[in-house]
Amino acid sequence: MTIHPSKRFLVAVREDHRESDLDAPATLVAVSLTDAGSEVVLFESHDFVSTPVFSPKNDEIAFYVWNHPDMNWDATTLFRATIAFGSEGIPTSLTNLAAVAGGKDDPRESVYQPRFDETGRLHFLSDRITGFWNPYHVGSDRQVTLSLEKPMEAEFGPAEWEFGISTFQPMPGRPDTVVVTFTLDAKTRLGLLNVVTHQIKDLPLPEWTTLSNLQFGVSLGTNEPVLIMLAGGPKETKNLYTYSINGSITPTKPLLASKPAGFTLDEQSVSVPEEIMFPTKLPPFTDDVIGKGGRDAVAYAYYYPPANSSYQAPEGELPPLLILIHGGPTFEADCVLNPTTQYWTTRGFAVADVNYGGSTGKGREYRERLYPQFGVVDVQDCCAAALYLAEIGRVDRKRLTIMGGSAGGFTTLACLAFRPEVFVVGASLFGITDLEVLTMEMHKFEKHYMVHLVGPYPEARDTYLQRSPLHSVDKLVCPAIFLQGLEDKVVPPNQATLM
């Protein structure tokens, strides 16, 4: 929700589950803050609506929408409209409703994070040209303009799995300037983007590899704008920081520094990763499982070597490897200090956190490698990561292990069932085991996700059965452990108990 500057009302996204959980209608609703309980539906024509924002300059509002079977990283439409008010200063309707960007079948465009600056200029992210989410804005002529000098193969934002993601913000007092964060050449950047000159000025950063939740506050001492954000890197967990921007740059300082309870490591025992790129066509893969990207496709992983200042491995012995698989599957692994990863590396394991084809952070073409190859491309890439590291002599070929959660649990079990020669043990954390049962029980947000990942159901039912580990349980020849929460609403417990 967002509160109007007048403080007389707020506008919120409402998803109404009173009649149905799976088809709960999403609407944009104005709620009075002066007349308790008074509400007006402003918009109700799409399956999903997100991120309403007000213009500080006039009575405009912007938000974005999308429909099944798409996810919001597939195709969305950005709207802007004028708010019509009643006699009490409470909205009654939207007028001049117009689509700003997106909404076309070809080319498909994912638009999100709308932001108005102080002049009423509307900013947003879109992957319309390169397939990477880049910043754009709409001027007084209502034309969409790239805010950069030229399109960049760099992501200025992640897939929006949750409401309220914020990776850029217009800067108060500097109407032509937007603070942006993006990843380029495997390095995370923070910059000041002038949308008139299209130039980015890099700001100095510590060794951070993730920046998120950017918001502006005001320094109580100087009354100057202060950037507030979550940040972390390979040697520190995510913390809340302030960052002062006003002519000269002052050092960052943690606003709230925290460490997980009991998590203390000396610097020599912290395993710092390197991003590796590896071919996905290693044996035993054949042409029928190469998938999108062709025979020369590559995938990526963060490789963590074993590290413990108190112990040394026997001379000449290679470490066992743990392949970690993120969920989603349209998500990505980062390399921020993670106690779970360090648990294994301090105990002699090497760890590879895999960004298989279908992961975000590398553009639309890479994330759509998984369409409709879920259970094929991800399996291929995770097995290839393990075999590649064994082939170049970094890990012990006879001690390859694998673990993943949710969609990563599905890939774990699929690797064990369909490539039993690769791994010797696996762990499924709330993993998917039966794609058919899941697609019939899926919550609204992901209700039609499998249409892209596997195919339409029931037309592609044979494919659903073929790729489900539950229907190939006889092929599991190594130990596997299942961990599942009984109240899980995303991956229901029957996914584990059926297995």
Side-chain angles (χ1 to χ4, degrees):
M1 64 179 67
T2 182
I3 297 174
H4 190 262
S6 70
K7 305 296 190 294
R8 298 183 63 84
F9 67 94
L10 62 81
V11 170
V13 174
R14 184 182 70 184
E15 195 172 78
D16 192 342
H17 291 255
R18 288 174 291 186
E19 298 294 331
S20 168
D21 277 338
L22 290 182
D23 297 307
T27 56
L28 205 61
V29 180
V31 181
S32 172
L33 297 177
T34 58
D35 179 12
S38 172
E39 62 181 53
V40 176
V41 175
L42 300 177
F43 186 88
E44 56 179 344
S45 64
H46 286 66
D47 292 327
F48 298 95
V49 58
S50 178
T51 321
V53 290
F54 298 115
S55 169
K57 189 74 173 177
N58 50 41
D59 293 330
E60 279 198 303
I61 188 173
F63 53 92
Y64 80 90
V65 301
W66 72 98
N67 282 321
H68 288 311
D70 286 323
M71 302 297 285
N72 46 351
W73 47 82
D74 293 322
T76 60
T77 303
L78 175 63
F79 281 105
R80 71 190 299 172
T82 303
I83 302 172
F85 291 95
S87 58
E88 300 299 320
I90 307 301
T92 57
S93 62
L94 298 182
T95 62
N96 304 319
L97 182 68
V100 175
K104 299 177 181 178
D105 291 332
D106 188 27
R108 289 161 64 76
E109 179 181 3
S110 173
V111 185
Y112 78 123
Q113 288 197 60
R115 306 272 190 273
F116 283 104
D117 65 24
E118 294 173 349
T119 69
R121 185 189 288 122
L122 179 59
H123 303 263
F124 58 92
L125 296 184
S126 169
D127 65 352
R128 60 169 47 196
I129 297 178
T130 64
F132 289 77
W133 282 297
N134 281 191
Y136 291 79
H137 66 272
V138 181
S140 57
D141 58 359
R142 295 296 175 106
Q143 296 300 307
V144 173
T145 302
L146 178 67
S147 300
L148 305 167
E149 187 174 21
K150 58 183 179 180
M152 295 172 60
E153 291 192 352
E155 297 283 32
F156 284 73
E160 190 170 42
W161 277 93
E162 301 170 344
F163 280 146
I165 284 179
S166 176
T167 57
F168 80 95
Q169 286 289 343
M171 187 170 175
R174 295 170 65 173
D176 295 335
T177 301
V178 178
V179 178
V180 295
T181 178
F182 59 102
T183 302
L184 186 64
D185 299 328
K187 184 178 179 181
T188 298
R189 312 281 187 90
L190 182 68
L192 297 177
L193 170 61
N194 187 305
V195 300
V196 176
T197 65
H198 307 292
Q199 301 299 308
I200 295 180
K201 176 185 176 182
D202 278 347
L203 299 174
L205 285 179
E207 293 182 16
W208 287 341
T209 52
T210 183
L211 296 171
S212 62
N213 297 73
L214 274 63
Q215 300 289 346
F216 269 105
V218 177
S219 169
L220 294 179
T222 63
N223 206 36
E224 294 174 350
V226 175
L227 189 64
I228 304 168
M229 58 191 171
L230 285 174
K235 296 182 180 180
E236 62 174 311
T237 55
K238 282 186 181 180
N239 287 311
L240 191 62
Y241 285 90
T242 60
Y243 194 115
S244 298
I245 307 171
N246 188 24
S248 60
I249 307 302
T250 60
T252 58
K253 62 178 181 180
L255 189 64
L256 178 66
S258 62
K259 287 186 176 180
F263 181 56
T264 55
L265 281 180
D266 60 273
E267 191 169 340
Q268 289 71 35
S269 295
V270 174
S271 179
V272 177
E274 61 174 298
E275 187 176 36
I276 61 170
M277 181 175 68
F278 55 91
T280 66
K281 62 178 182 180
L282 289 175
F285 303 119
T286 56
D287 288 339
D288 63 323
V289 293
I290 292 296
K292 290 181 181 179
R295 291 192 58 82
D296 296 323
V298 296
Y300 304 85
Y302 290 110
Y303 174 74
Y304 296 79
N308 191 319
S309 61
S310 300
Y311 296 90
Q312 185 173 340
E315 187 174 350
E317 182 177 340
L318 292 173
L321 172 69
L322 173 61
I323 291 286
L324 290 180
I325 312 174
H326 64 70
T330 312
F331 199 62
E332 64 180 300
D334 61 30
C335 57
V336 174
L337 183 63
N338 186 329
T340 301
T341 304
Q342 301 297 320
Y343 173 90
W344 295 101
T345 55
T346 54
R347 284 153 177 80
F349 277 76
V351 171
D353 208 350
V354 182
N355 277 318
Y356 49 84
S359 303
T360 53
K362 303 187 184 298
R364 178 183 285 265
E365 183 178 353
Y366 191 78
R367 73 176 182 266
E368 289 190 351
R369 272 188 59 202
L370 207 55
Y371 288 0
Q373 299 293 328
F374 185 40
V376 178
V377 167
D378 49 328
V379 169
Q380 169 186 299
D381 289 358
C382 291
C383 291
L387 295 174
Y388 170 77
L389 287 166
E391 184 179 83
I392 63 174
R394 304 285 286 272
V395 300
D396 187 343
R397 171 65 183 90
K398 295 180 180 180
R399 293 189 289 174
L400 305 179
T401 72
I402 187 168
M403 178 168 69
S406 191
F410 166 80
T411 303
T412 294
L413 295 171
C415 286
L416 298 183
F418 305 127
R419 295 293 168 184
E421 74 281 5
V422 179
F423 298 101
V424 296
V425 66
S428 169
L429 317 180
F430 46 94
I432 300 163
T433 65
D434 188 328
L435 294 173
E436 181 181 38
V437 169
L438 184 74
T439 199
M440 291 188 291
E441 297 182 347
M442 187 69 80
H443 58 102
K444 182 192 173 186
F445 179 58
E446 298 178 82
K447 182 181 177 183
H448 297 283
Y449 195 10
M450 291 296 171
V451 171
H452 291 308
L453 290 172
V454 181
Y457 184 87
E459 294 87 342
R461 182 172 184 264
D462 288 348
T463 304
Y464 280 72
L465 300 181
Q466 180 186 7
R467 295 186 191 169
S468 295
L470 180 69
H471 299 292
S472 294
V473 72
D474 56 306
K475 298 177 183 177
L476 277 168
V477 295
C478 72
I481 191 170
F482 296 81
L483 296 149
Q484 174 69 49
L486 294 180
E487 297 180 8
D488 195 332
K489 301 297 184 184
V490 178
V491 180
N494 62 359
Q495 288 287 317
T497 55
L498 283 170
M499 195 74 176

